[in-house]
Structures are given as structure tokens and as C-alpha cells.
């Protein structure tokens, strides 16, 4: 079945770049997403990329998609303490009533 | 303010005592979902609804019921809660299929003893 995998933890020094990686299995995925969950809150959509794109940049966020390898990454430039959160990779396809499949989430810890 | 609200935010109950977690959205969204979040397992979809009176099972529907009598509300019902339903529950909504922005509620932390 469909699956989305990502590492569970990442520690990064404040000011450095964070790179969170994700792999997915469904080759028919149409859209890929990054969601952010801050402590005690629900998920919030950070950005998304259509499957025919390779890259999308939005201020400090850069999303890279390698469709051949089914690999998605989120780069956060100049990581700040406010970036400390759990980041969820997700994908959807119209084949499944547009259901969104989430990864288990990567907890980003910022070191001073 | 556009939002998804859930009530209650926290609930401690005992095995077998029926409970309902309410979810309401004020954005006229057609598509609503319930998820549970568990450590190491991420988010798993329980049920979803593409429109009024249309509901479908997600990945982990056992032990849960839902209804969608009106567009704005999508309550989650646990007829006979068990300890393995202790979890953090999120309701979410989006305009419809093909829409990317999914709005999440603040979560309901349920403990079943």
C-alpha cells in the first residue's frame, strides 16, 4: 500500500540550514506537502509541490522533489528557535478520493 | 475568523462510557476528516466525509462512528471506548477534493482508563 517515510528526529544549530527528508512509495502521487505541528497545536500547511515540479522556494523554505527516486526534502534556511516543531511529509493522489497520506513526522530540535 | 473547532479539548473517561467529540468548521468546506495521532505512528485517518450524508472509512475506523448531517459539523462517536483509543484526535477540513489547504482543529486529547 501507500507509504510515506521520514526520519523521526533532527537536531540543528540555530542559524544553520535544516534539511528534512522524506520518501514515498506511490508513483501516482499528484501533490506532496509539508505540514508543521507546533507543541499543543494542530497541523498547519507549510507548502506543497505539484508532482511535475522539481523545486519550489518560498522565503526561507525550499522544497526539492526527485520524482524518479520518490524523494522529497524540505530545507529551512537560517533555522530559528521558532522553527522547533514536528514536520510532516504527506502526499495525495486523485486515485484515492484525494486522501492525504502522512508520514510519521520529524521532530526538529534547535540547538543554541 | 476561519477555523476548525473541537470540543472537548481534553477528556478522561472510563471504558465503555459512550462519548462524542464535536467538530465544527465555519469555512463552508465540503471535505472533513478525523485523524488520530499516536507516538511513533504519526497521523492515521479514522473516517472522512466528502459531503453531507457521505462518509467513508479511513485507515483505522474500528470502534468509531461519524455522522455528517450538516456541512459544518462532523462529530466523532465512540460507542464503547477502550484504552487502546487513548490518543490525540484531530478534525480537519478542506474546501473539497483537489484542494490543498487542509485546516486542522486544535486537537482533543482523550484518555480512556
Amino acid at each position: 500500500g501507500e507509504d510515506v517515510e521520514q526520519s523521526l528526529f533532527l537536531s540543528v544549530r540555530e542559524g544553520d540550514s535544516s534539511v528534512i527528508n522524506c520518501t514515498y512509495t506511490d508513483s501516482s502521487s499528484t501533490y506532496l506537502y509539508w505540514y508543521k505541528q507546533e507543541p499543543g497545536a494542530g497541523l498547519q500547511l507549510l507548502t506543497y509541490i505539484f508532482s511535475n515540479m522539481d523545486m519550489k522556494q518560498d522565503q526561507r523554505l525550499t522544497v526539492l522533489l526527485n520524482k524518479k527516486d520518490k524523494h522529497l526534502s524540505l530545507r529551512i534556511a537560517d533555522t530559528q528557535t521558532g522553527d522547533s516543531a514536528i514536520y510532516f511529509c504527506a502526499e495525495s493522489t486523485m486515485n484515492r478520493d484525494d486522501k492525504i497520506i502522512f508520514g510519521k513526522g520529524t521532530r526538529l530540535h534547535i540547538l543554541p | 475568523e476561519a477555523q476548525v473547532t473541537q470540543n472537548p479539548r481534553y477528556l478522561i473517561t472510563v471504558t465503555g462510557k459512550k462519548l462524542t467529540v464535536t467538530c465544527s468548521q465555519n469555512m463552508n468546506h465540503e471535505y472533513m476528516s478525523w485523524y488520530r495521532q499516536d507516538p511513533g505512528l504519526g497521523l492515521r485517518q479514522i473516517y472522512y466525509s466528502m459531503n453531507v450524508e457521505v462518509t467513508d472509512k479511513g485507515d483505522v475506523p474500528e470502534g468509531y462512528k461519524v455522522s455528517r448531517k450538516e456541512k459544518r459539523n462532523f462529530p466523532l462517536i465512540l460507542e464503547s471506548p477502550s484504552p487502546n483509543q487513548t490518543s490525540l484526535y484531530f478534525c480537519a477540513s478542506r474546501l473539497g477534493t483537489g484542494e490543498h489547504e487542509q485546516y486542522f482543529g486544535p486537537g482533543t486529547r482523550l484518555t480512556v482508563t
Side-chain angles (χ1 to χ4, degrees), chain A residues 8 31 33 35 37 40-45 48 86 88 92 94 96-105, chain B residues 9 31 35 37 40-43 45 48 50 58-59 88 90 94 96-102 104-106:
Chain A
L8 295 182
Y31 290 95
Y33 309 87
Y35 281 81
Q37 183 183 30
L43 279 69
Q44 184 179 14
L45 180 65
Y48 67 91
I86 302 175
F88 289 90
S92 70
M94 293 299 289
R96 309 184 301 253
D97 284 345
D98 211 23
K99 177 179 162 183
I100 299 176
I101 305 288
F102 289 87
K104 293 179 174 51
Chain B
R9 293 289 314 277
Y31 199 119
Y35 296 89
Q37 183 179 17
L41 296 176
L43 257 71
Q45 191 181 50
Y48 65 100
M50 290 199 285
D59 297 315
L88 180 58
F90 288 102
R94 52 183 156 141
T97 56
E99 297 296 325
H100 314 295
E101 183 86 45
Q102 181 160 235
F104 281 80

Side-chain angles (χ1 to χ4, degrees), chain A residues 10-30:
Chain A
L10 177 66
S11 289
V12 173
R13 292 213 174 276
E14 189 175 358
D16 288 350
S17 291
S18 306
V19 179
I20 304 171
N21 294 300
C22 167
T23 57
Y24 59 97
T25 58
D26 192 345
S27 56
S28 64
S29 295
T30 311

Side-chain angles (χ1 to χ4, degrees), chain B residues 32-50:
Chain B
M32 298 185 74
S33 297
W34 274 104
Y35 296 89
R36 59 179 289 175
Q37 183 179 17
D38 301 289
L41 296 176
L43 257 71
R44 294 178 293 169
Q45 191 181 50
I46 303 169
Y47 267 95
Y48 65 100
S49 167
M50 290 199 285

Side-chain angles (χ1 to χ4, degrees), chain A residues 68-101:
Chain A
K68 174 174 164 289
D69 294 339
K70 300 193 192 71
H71 182 268
L72 182 75
S73 68
L74 173 69
R75 178 177 180 268
I76 306 172
D78 187 24
T79 308
Q80 305 297 308
T81 53
D83 296 323
S84 180
I86 302 175
Y87 292 81
F88 289 90
C89 175
E91 59 91 13
S92 70
T93 172
M94 293 299 289
N95 296 344
R96 309 184 301 253
D97 284 345
D98 211 23
K99 177 179 162 183
I100 299 176
I101 305 288

Side-chain angles (χ1 to χ4, degrees), chain B residues 61-81:
Chain B
E62 294 78 20
Y64 304 95
K65 282 173 57 177
V66 292
S67 69
R68 189 88 183 276
K69 293 186 170 58
E70 48 192 341
K71 195 182 249 190
R72 64 184 293 127
N73 296 323
F74 190 43
L76 179 70
I77 303 152
L78 284 73
E79 295 270 3
S80 183

Side-chain angles (χ1 to χ4, degrees), chain A residues 40-59:
Chain A
L43 279 69
Q44 184 179 14
L45 180 65
L46 268 183
T47 186
Y48 67 91
I49 189 168
F50 187 48
S51 60
N52 68 354
M53 296 169 63
D54 298 323
M55 186 182 90
K56 182 177 181 180
Q57 187 154 3
D58 183 5
Q59 300 182 346

